[in-house]
Amino acid sequence: MTDAIVDVADPINISEAAIEKVRALVAEEGNDDLMLRVFVTGGGCAGFQYGFTFDDSIAEDDSLITKNDVRFLIDSLSVQYLGGSTVDYTQGLDGSRFVIHNPSASTTCGCGSSFAI
């Protein structure tokens, strides 16, 4: 049985902190079908912005990544901007949030939620 809808190597890396946070949020919602969707949209102060949402269905063009029984989705358009990136979860004085460490980004905004390539 395969964990991928699209037959590719994992297009992104996922930190243990992100895995544990998604696991906790899925348990809190009480819906084992939930997966964290990681995506890129146009906008933000640098040109593109990262987005995160929970989804309980897989689209035909999605890549499904399973890490320690936690599932993440990336659509085919976002893969081209996120390849080689790492999804992380941080907690600090400025709050807690999912973040992307993207080696392909040539510039990022101050908050780190938008980027340019």
Side-chain angles (χ1 to χ4, degrees):
M1 182 171 148
T2 181
D3 283 334
I5 298 304
V6 177
D7 188 19
V8 296
D10 289 349
I12 61 171
N13 303 302
I14 314 231
S15 75
E16 282 299 318
I19 292 168
E20 291 308 314
K21 185 60 178 180
V22 171
R23 178 179 284 120
L25 291 170
V26 168
E28 186 177 302
E29 289 296 317
N31 181 353
D32 291 337
D33 293 332
L34 290 177
M35 299 161 273
L36 184 67
R37 180 174 293 281
V38 181
F39 60 93
V40 172
T41 61
C45 48
F48 296 102
Q49 60 189 9
Y50 302 114
F52 305 93
T53 188
F54 278 98
D55 204 333
D56 60 2
S57 63
I58 301 171
E60 198 173 295
D61 70 334
D62 282 341
S63 292
L64 173 64
I65 302 167
T66 303
K67 300 286 186 182
N68 300 336
D69 298 322
V70 177
R71 297 176 301 163
F72 299 80
L73 297 172
I74 305 172
D75 64 85
S76 62
L77 292 174
S78 297
V79 166
Q80 64 186 324
Y81 299 108
L82 294 172
S85 296
T86 299
V87 176
D88 196 8
Y89 183 77
T90 62
Q91 293 178 305
L93 294 175
D94 59 347
S96 58
R97 61 191 170 130
F98 288 101
V99 296
I100 302 277
H101 303 286
N102 188 342
S104 299
S106 60
T107 60
T108 60
C109 68
C111 69
S113 65
S114 69
F115 67 101
I117 293 190

